[in-house]
Amino acid sequence: MDTIRYELIPAQGEGQVALVTFDEPGSPVNTMCARWQGDLVALTAQVLADRDRLGAQLKGIVLASAKKTFFAGADLKALMRLTPADAPQVFTEIERMKKQMRTLETLGIPVVSCINGTALGGGWEVALMGHHRIAVDEAKTQLGLPEVTLGLLPGASGITKTVRLLGLMGAQPWLLEGKLFNPQQGKALGLVHALVATREELLPAALAWIAAHPESRQPWDEKGYKIPGGTPANPKIAAALAVAPAMLRKTTRGRYPAPEAALAAMVEGASVDFDTALRIESRYLAGLMTSPVAHNMVSAFFFDLNAIKSGQSRPKLAERFKPTRVGVLGAGMMGAGIAWAQASRDIATPLLDVSVEKAEHGKAYSARLADKRVEKGRMSAEAREALLACIAPTAEARDLAGCELIIEAVFENRELKARITREAEPQLAPRGFFASNTSTLPITGLAQASRAPEKFIGIHFFSPVDKMRLVEIIRGRQTSDETVARAYDYVLALGKLPIVVNDARGFYTSRTFGTYVMEGASMLAEGIPAPVIENAAMQAGMPVGPLAVLDETALSLSVHVMEQTRADLAAEGKTWQATPGELLVERMVKEFKRPGRAGGGGFYDYPKGEKKHLWSELKPLFEKPDTRWSVPELQDRLLYRQAIETARCLSEGVLTSVHDANIGSIFGIGFPAWTGGAMQFIYGTGVDAFAARAEELAQRHGAGFAIDAKVREAITQHQPVY
């Protein structure tokens, strides 16, 4: 066996115990790779042979790991190579693996899982082979079945066993949402049976349990076993399950097959015997493993996220920057949010505004967020006080002295940003650097006000900062590698996701997001009903409709950006050509006095104490009964427009990697997760099929959908290979 070590060790008292140690060579973690699956067959045969040879002297089996973690789960690179035609073979392989697991747990002798670290997905299913599960009591250890977050389901017995351990209702958060738990929480749930303080205590504890339980089997193999809470035939369970699919569809909008398949496997499996239930989940898993949505989500939420977290876009500098004191200029919504993010990570944060009162108002934002957490039991009163003590409101630039980084988060005005840059930079520590939180203004231009443009960078947070995980790092023309690396480390220190882009108007996220909202506005200008536009977007998987987003970000801000763009291009001797959507937004602000939510209303009205609703005048002003439209066409326009703009950013060098594009689009602008991100949407569709559909859209809806040779080359050149 290559990935599994097998040895017989003395049991407590007389006899021997089979010690099974998972140790995949050349890998930091154990996975269910093809080699491991083959070794599992050999392991089962070896245990059966030793059982025949030793008889009652084989006292039990211990499952352990030689890695820092217990087991990582499936081989996802192999999964990415599967096609729908592979589904029957995949089903056969899943069943073969589960046959070995089932054999080991039904020998009548105790099986103990020694969980020394994280066990997720297939790794937790391996642990569930144990009749008794012992874990090292480490709060950072993650356990559970997060498969649905990757477009899959736990089909190596995870569905069937979790339902039989927790019941149909109790299992739902762990199977349908992919919630994780630590060892303490696992013990409270009854999924972990015992805790030890150190890894060294695992084996002695396992041997002691085996000695005390010479005969052992799984709960569902005991005579008289019943599923906690009852089966789907129970009237109370049946009543709850009657609405479950509708509730799930409300969340998934029909775009995410995994939660729906998991629910079906749970309910169907609870209606039959254990072994039949295992086959049911295998069938559902085989279908998902070979599906485009699973490949898209694995691409984004495993490979791309790991690329971000491992620093693949970070310049290769050995020294890591750990921020301890970072100043924030501007205590408005963004500055206050940045202060919260820093204080949450114990970073000293001087918060500067034009008056102490305004700075205190910014700190009060953190106090409100902390108070809510204290009320919900998610934060102690002491932790609240410690967090708030990190924020020091001030109106004096000298209070920024010694900051390793200063971030300005003031209004989008070049002159204002230049002035505060010159005022604050002298307070930086010797190796300190300066950042702008601008969302649209080119960093190279803003850096002209800096005394050290190589130490000037864009760090673009998203609103609300306390909820949005993405941060866009913008490299100016003179920004040094060291500054980019330090900015990257700073963002990671906040627990957020950094992407790195090169300087250009709108950078990546604002530029691409603008195509989404303006495509929606263009549809309205064409005479398409506003409710149709909003609902089409939501059904495609966007979190909010384009007109609602324009209201939230302020139509007046969009007009300000347009005017700034027009002026900048005029200064360069160029002319700016407004799109139909941009012209409509301009009319909304200037002609109809509808600046957005903050100004009292835009595309929506916001009656006090009531739910918002679309402005009643949209229908007579813009709707045209003879305009022809279809929901699939509208959805394609909204998604294709963003994906094509993303590909253009890649071809122009604004983006330099697919993982930055995918993670930036999902976490920054809400591109639907089922697509795997804007670039994976292209690859998942198929490059040729995508290009053909884009050409159709370009002919009907304009040059925004055109893909030229340079863009097509960039798409092909950056396509990942697994």
Side-chain angles (χ1 to χ4, degrees), residues 34 131 158 161 180 194 225 236 238 309 379 394 421 458 492 570 620 702:
H131 306 145
K161 289 181 176 178
L180 305 181
Y225 165 81
K236 288 185 178 179
K309 292 175 180 177
M379 177 183 279
T394 181
T421 299
L492 287 178

Side-chain angles (χ1 to χ4, degrees), residues 493-568:
L494 298 184
K496 295 188 180 291
L497 300 171
I499 65 168
V500 179
V501 305
N502 286 313
D503 194 20
R505 187 174 305 282
F507 318 130
Y508 165 54
T509 55
S510 295
R511 169 177 165 177
T512 304
F513 188 62
T515 66
Y516 168 62
V517 296
M518 289 307 170
E519 192 63 25
S522 292
M523 292 173 180
L524 187 62
E526 292 165 20
I528 298 168
V532 171
I533 298 166
E534 297 292 82
N535 282 315
M538 298 279 283
Q539 290 166 16
M542 294 298 295
V544 186
L547 306 181
V549 174
L550 275 166
D551 262 20
E552 294 293 338
T553 56
L555 280 74
S556 53
L557 177 61
S558 294
V559 172
H560 171 76
V561 171
M562 284 185 243
E563 290 173 342
Q564 183 74 63
T565 303
R566 187 184 286 122
D568 289 349

Side-chain angles (χ1 to χ4, degrees), residues 333-368:
M333 181 176 66
M334 293 304 298
I338 296 168
W340 160 267
Q342 294 182 172
S344 299
R345 298 289 172 146
D346 297 322
I347 297 172
T349 304
L351 179 59
L352 183 140
D353 212 305
V354 293
S355 68
V356 173
E357 291 74 23
K358 287 196 172 184
E360 288 284 2
H361 183 74
K363 181 175 180 176
Y365 175 79
S366 288
R368 290 193 297 274

